[in-house]
Amino acid sequence: MGEAKSGLQLRTLLKKSGELELSLVDVPTPEPADDEVVVRVEASPINPSDLGLLIGPADMSTAQVSGTKASPVITAKMPEAAMRMMGGRFDQSLPIGNEGAGVVIKTGASDAAKALMGKTVSMIGGAMYSQFRTMKVRDVMELPAGTTPADGASWFVNPLTALGMTETMRRENHKALVHTAAASNLGQMLNKICLKDGIGLVNIVRSKEQADILHKIGAKHVVDSSAASFMDDLTGALVETGATIAFDAIGGGKLAGQILTAMEIAANKTAKEYSRYGSNVFKQVYIYGSLDNRPTELSRAFGLTWSVSGWLLTPFLQKIGPADIGRLRQRVASELKTTFASHYTKVVSLQETLDLANIAVYGKRSTGEKFLINPSKGG
Amino acid sequence: MGEAKSGLQLRTLLKKSGELELSLVDVPTPEPADDEVVVRVEASPINPSDLGLLIGPADMSTAQVSGTKASPVITAKMPEAAMRMMGGRFDQSLPIGNEGAGVVIKTGASDAAKALMGKTVSMIGGAMYSQFRTMKVRDVMELPAGTTPADGASWFVNPLTALGMTETMRRENHKALVHTAAASNLGQMLNKICLKDGIGLVNIVRSKEQADILHKIGAKHVVDSSAASFMDDLTGALVETGATIAFDAIGGGKLAGQILTAMEIAANKTAKEYSRYGSNVFKQVYIYGSLDNRPTELSRAFGLTWSVSGWLLTPFLQKIGPADIGRLRQRVASELKTTFASHYTKVVSLQETLDLANIAVYGKRSTGEKFLINPSKGG
């Protein structure tokens, strides 16, 4: 295994003192058991869900660099209010990176493991911001010929989240859906899924530039929350599509409540009788992200038949079970370079991931800015 | 039927111009069909749900009186923002009063109807702020001997709402519950139910006086949201009871979010591993009232396994179906003077209901202030 006996791994450590520390540590690569393979990680995206663990609500204006160029260390202050909810991670050096892809460089003795030697595979299971990962065969997926690790790095979180939205819509008896921060990589995937499957989708974006991105890929309903006519535009799109469920990546501010209000106005346009309790159409907003950290503000001008809930991929997958998960994974594999293609603005090494100038960009969680880490790239 | 050929009925009318008008109109009493009875209404409570239709968000500081003493008319302005959601009721003169009780003074020809002659009965079905109501036999419930109309007036909305809460708790797999504005008539009923059924109940009140009311009737967990130690007190009570579902009558402000935050802290006290997404304990707040009209403010410091939803009695009853409704009604009838006893601060005639001094009191929706209308009482 030569140079793969150990490799660098990115760690995040929140000290009880309130100091967040990001660093690279050299960790031994476990020898593969019979049903395991060693993968040289070559691509792993920085998803918002990774950022939550990597940086979270730390105040990066206080960030300091120390260490060396080959092994930089970043420290920053975690605000006191945020510390209260984080007791569970104090003083633990945690690896990061939900998903990734790479090349199998060593295998265990089983036939299934040996068959993967030299193959490009996708992986799920954490600690992907590492140079090497020893994985069980069942936790990797062989990629079709001609697929690079970069093509396959974002094979799980975004694709299954997007598919999870349309699956949830169907299972909970809604006929169309709303999505916010809709020009994101995830939002573009969702548009491709909905166009292909004939599902009505109302895209909410925050600027004309984002609207243009979606129109270019064929989106039918795009409304801009920065426009003066936003509520009317949204209501019109809801009447046209009949959408009564929304997935909201923003979380903070008035948007979730505005969506429910517009759904209620749309429902009342077809109601026959006045009810003091509002329409009897059930309206659901799932908050699955927190691009805006402010409180969610619900004006409750939408009757009493509504729900605002958290939504998270893992419990959703647990609920639908292995057979349906397999069906969704299969679809992702076969549409990886079309429906589920991701776009990155920059590819960085592990060391470059800890560059303050880069953190300032990917830490903003802006739509259209997405970084890919290549742990095998020289710093 | 003599004087019962017609009777006064209280009406609420919202004009397209934005003027709300409350008045009494003389309406003919329909002759009873075979399966119907005519009831002289003697008691009907003013519930928050009735106030929503009667006055709603109208600005009562603009109220004017006209008409005569025997037939007063109140007019007031409806704020423009509120008008937008009320298009469905413009220019319709609507009767009010969800529930009530009275004495059967005439019956149809069927045996079931004739058997009720002279009996005291409870009723559900609207327009109870009327001197006479012609009702189907199946929509009235004969009250046990010795029960007055005042005893039986609040037999439906509060008792079934309180029972609906413990039923919902069980059906959604929670083991204990939280209730806000907990010193209300409804809150006291809920305490009696939970004490009797051995269910853990965390009562949230807004003053020491309200806490005293509940301690006096045997409540075990009472926390005061006006105390500096509120969050700690609440978390402690949640740890002790294991409550993960709350019913909130307040709606506006930070309370719903505080409850979820305290539930999350309580859940994490027993969690073994840190999760960046928070605990996997599902936390539910149902908003069933709006004592505070301000927006609901959710800080979302409680992971992603949560839901805040509207809750309303009618859809709940539709969901559980006739057999279970019958079971709950039976329990109410047999515990009407104990568990489900209501207390009123004042009994008013229909004319007195339209007295501005009275409206100023019952319109406040204060805990501990509850009016009973007796439409058969002289003005």
Side-chain angles (χ1 to χ4, degrees):
Chain A
M1 204 155 83
E3 80 290 302
K5 274 199 176 13
S6 75
L8 292 178
Q9 182 172 77
L10 204 155
R11 292 288 183 86
T12 179
L13 166 67
L14 179 61
K15 297 178 183 166
K16 220 183 228 138
S17 60
E19 186 181 76
L20 178 76
E21 181 185 285
L22 310 179
S23 65
L24 303 179
V25 298
D26 193 53
V27 295
T29 309
E31 281 297 309
D34 285 358
D35 63 338
E36 290 182 336
V37 297
V38 176
V39 181
R40 184 179 64 233
V41 186
E42 297 188 6
S44 177
I46 304 181
N47 287 321
S49 52
D50 298 310
L51 280 171
L53 182 61
L54 183 70
I55 296 174
D59 179 1
M60 295 310 286
S61 71
T62 66
Q64 304 275 346
V65 193
S66 59
T68 63
K69 197 184 170 216
S71 189
V73 175
I74 303 285
T75 52
K77 278 208 171 136
M78 187 64 75
E80 230 169 279
M83 288 292 286
R84 196 160 45 115
M85 300 306 292
M86 293 187 159
R89 64 169 286 191
F90 287 169
D91 296 327
Q92 296 172 53
S93 176
L94 300 168
I96 314 129
N98 279 310
E99 62 186 341
V103 176
V104 175
I105 57 166
K106 188 172 186 182
T107 80
S110 71
D111 289 344
K114 284 196 279 186
L116 289 171
M117 187 64 201
K119 294 283 165 57
T120 300
V121 294
S122 291
M123 303 174 278
I124 181 77
M128 292 299 157
Y129 301 171
S130 303
Q131 292 184 310
F132 303 101
R133 283 286 275 123
T134 302
M135 302 289 297
K136 291 226 183 300
V137 168
R138 65 153 191 266
D139 292 331
V140 310
M141 182 174 79
E142 188 182 339
L143 292 170
T147 311
T148 66
D151 291 332
S154 294
W155 72 292
F156 196 89
V157 178
N158 275 351
L160 289 188
T161 299
L163 287 171
M165 291 175 183
T166 57
E167 286 284 317
T168 300
M169 177 202 80
R170 280 197 205 92
R171 280 161 200 261
E172 299 181 1
N173 302 312
H174 302 272
K175 61 175 259 199
L177 73 165
V178 178
H179 188 228
T180 73
S184 64
N185 264 307
L186 175 62
Q188 294 182 41
M189 278 182 199
L190 186 59
N191 271 281
K192 291 177 197 163
I193 294 168
C194 288
L195 284 169
K196 198 160 183 172
D197 296 359
I199 296 169
L201 171 63
V202 178
N203 295 279
I204 299 179
V205 297
R206 286 168 292 179
S207 70
K208 173 142 186 348
E209 292 67 35
Q210 294 172 345
D212 291 344
I213 293 172
L214 291 177
H215 282 305
K216 243 174 244 162
I217 62 166
K220 281 181 198 154
H221 302 280
V222 185
V223 297
D224 181 350
S225 60
S226 70
S229 57
F230 172 56
M231 283 302 284
D232 288 340
D233 298 344
L234 178 57
T235 304
L238 293 172
V239 168
E240 275 184 62
T241 56
T244 48
I245 183 171
F247 289 87
D248 176 29
I250 311 281
K254 293 173 196 266
L255 186 58
Q258 287 175 317
I259 294 169
L260 290 172
T261 301
M263 284 178 177
E264 177 72 4
I265 296 171
N268 283 328
K269 290 207 176 197
T270 54
K272 289 188 188 83
E273 213 181 316
Y274 174 71
S275 162
R276 80 200 81 168
Y277 301 116
S279 80
N280 58 6
V281 173
F282 182 66
K283 302 165 290 292
Q284 171 78 56
V285 173
Y286 281 114
I287 294 178
Y288 75 96
S290 195
L291 294 175
D292 182 338
N293 278 319
R294 290 176 304 158
T296 311
E297 229 182 89
L298 306 172
S299 68
R300 303 195 318 290
F302 37 71
L304 278 165
T305 313
W306 58 273
S307 192
V308 175
S309 315
W311 192 93
L312 192 56
L313 180 58
T314 309
F316 166 75
L317 294 176
Q318 277 162 357
K319 195 161 63 184
I320 70 172
D324 279 326
I325 294 173
R327 176 173 57 82
L328 300 183
R329 277 173 63 150
Q330 200 44 57
R331 176 164 182 187
V332 175
S334 63
E335 301 174 31
L336 203 45
K337 291 175 121 178
T338 53
T339 312
F340 301 107
S342 286
H343 305 283
Y344 305 99
T345 39
K346 195 165 182 181
V347 178
V348 289
S349 67
L350 286 174
Q351 289 79 7
E352 288 163 349
T353 306
L354 297 186
D355 182 299
L356 282 183
N358 285 327
I359 294 178
V361 179
Y362 68 70
K364 268 190 306 191
R365 301 160 167 86
S366 311
T367 293
E369 283 288 359
K370 185 143 195 176
F371 277 50
L372 185 71
I373 300 177
N374 179 354
S376 299
K377 181 181 179 229
Chain B
M1 202 157 82
E3 81 290 301
K5 274 199 175 13
S6 76
L8 292 178
Q9 182 171 76
L10 204 157
R11 292 287 183 86
T12 179
L13 167 67
L14 179 61
K15 297 178 184 167
K16 218 181 231 142
S17 61
E19 187 181 74
L20 178 75
E21 181 185 284
L22 310 180
S23 65
L24 302 180
V25 298
D26 193 53
V27 294
T29 310
E31 282 297 308
D34 285 358
D35 63 337
E36 291 182 337
V37 296
V38 177
V39 181
R40 185 178 63 233
V41 186
E42 297 188 6
S44 178
I46 304 181
N47 287 319
S49 51
D50 298 310
L51 280 170
L53 183 60
L54 183 69
I55 296 174
D59 179 0
M60 294 311 285
S61 71
T62 66
Q64 304 275 346
V65 193
S66 58
T68 65
K69 198 184 171 218
S71 189
V73 175
I74 303 285
T75 53
K77 280 210 170 132
M78 187 64 76
E80 230 169 280
M83 289 292 286
R84 195 159 47 115
M85 301 306 292
M86 294 188 159
R89 63 169 288 190
F90 287 168
D91 296 328
Q92 296 173 52
S93 175
L94 299 168
I96 315 129
N98 278 311
E99 61 185 342
V103 175
V104 175
I105 55 165
K106 187 171 187 181
T107 79
S110 71
D111 289 343
K114 285 198 278 187
L116 289 172
M117 187 64 202
K119 295 283 165 59
T120 299
V121 294
S122 292
M123 303 174 278
I124 181 78
M128 292 299 158
Y129 300 171
S130 304
Q131 293 184 310
F132 302 101
R133 283 286 276 123
T134 302
M135 302 287 298
K136 290 225 184 301
V137 168
R138 66 155 191 264
D139 292 332
V140 308
M141 183 173 77
E142 186 181 340
L143 292 170
T147 311
T148 66
D151 291 333
S154 294
W155 73 291
F156 196 89
V157 178
N158 275 351
L160 289 187
T161 299
L163 287 171
M165 291 174 182
T166 56
E167 286 282 317
T168 300
M169 177 203 81
R170 280 198 205 90
R171 280 161 199 262
E172 299 181 2
N173 302 313
H174 303 273
K175 61 174 257 198
L177 73 165
V178 178
H179 188 227
T180 72
S184 64
N185 264 308
L186 175 63
Q188 294 182 39
M189 278 181 200
L190 186 60
N191 271 281
K192 291 177 196 163
I193 294 168
C194 289
L195 284 169
K196 198 159 184 173
D197 296 359
I199 297 169
L201 171 64
V202 177
N203 294 278
I204 300 179
V205 296
R206 286 168 291 178
S207 71
K208 173 140 185 350
E209 291 67 36
Q210 294 173 345
D212 291 343
I213 293 172
L214 291 177
H215 282 306
K216 243 175 246 164
I217 62 165
K220 282 181 198 153
H221 302 281
V222 184
V223 298
D224 181 349
S225 60
S226 70
S229 58
F230 172 57
M231 283 302 285
D232 288 340
D233 298 344
L234 178 57
T235 304
L238 293 172
V239 168
E240 274 184 61
T241 56
T244 48
I245 183 170
F247 289 87
D248 176 29
I250 311 279
K254 293 173 197 265
L255 185 58
Q258 287 175 317
I259 294 170
L260 290 171
T261 301
M263 284 178 177
E264 177 72 5
I265 296 170
N268 283 329
K269 290 207 175 194
T270 54
K272 290 188 186 81
E273 211 180 317
Y274 174 72
S275 162
R276 79 199 81 169
Y277 302 116
S279 81
N280 58 6
V281 173
F282 182 66
K283 302 165 290 292
Q284 171 78 57
V285 173
Y286 281 114
I287 293 178
Y288 75 95
S290 195
L291 295 176
D292 183 336
N293 278 320
R294 290 176 303 158
T296 311
E297 227 181 272
L298 306 172
S299 68
R300 303 196 315 291
F302 37 71
L304 277 164
T305 313
W306 59 274
S307 192
V308 175
S309 316
W311 192 92
L312 191 55
L313 180 58
T314 308
F316 166 74
L317 294 176
Q318 278 163 358
K319 194 160 64 185
I320 69 172
D324 279 326
I325 294 173
R327 177 172 55 81
L328 300 183
R329 278 174 60 152
Q330 201 43 58
R331 177 165 183 187
V332 175
S334 64
E335 300 175 31
L336 203 46
K337 290 176 122 179
T338 54
T339 313
F340 301 108
S342 286
H343 305 284
Y344 305 100
T345 39
K346 196 165 182 181
V347 178
V348 288
S349 67
L350 287 173
Q351 288 81 6
E352 288 163 349
T353 306
L354 297 187
D355 183 299
L356 283 182
N358 284 328
I359 294 177
V361 179
Y362 69 69
K364 268 190 305 192
R365 300 162 168 86
S366 311
T367 294
E369 284 287 0
K370 185 144 193 175
F371 277 50
L372 185 70
I373 299 177
N374 179 353
S376 299
K377 180 180 179 230

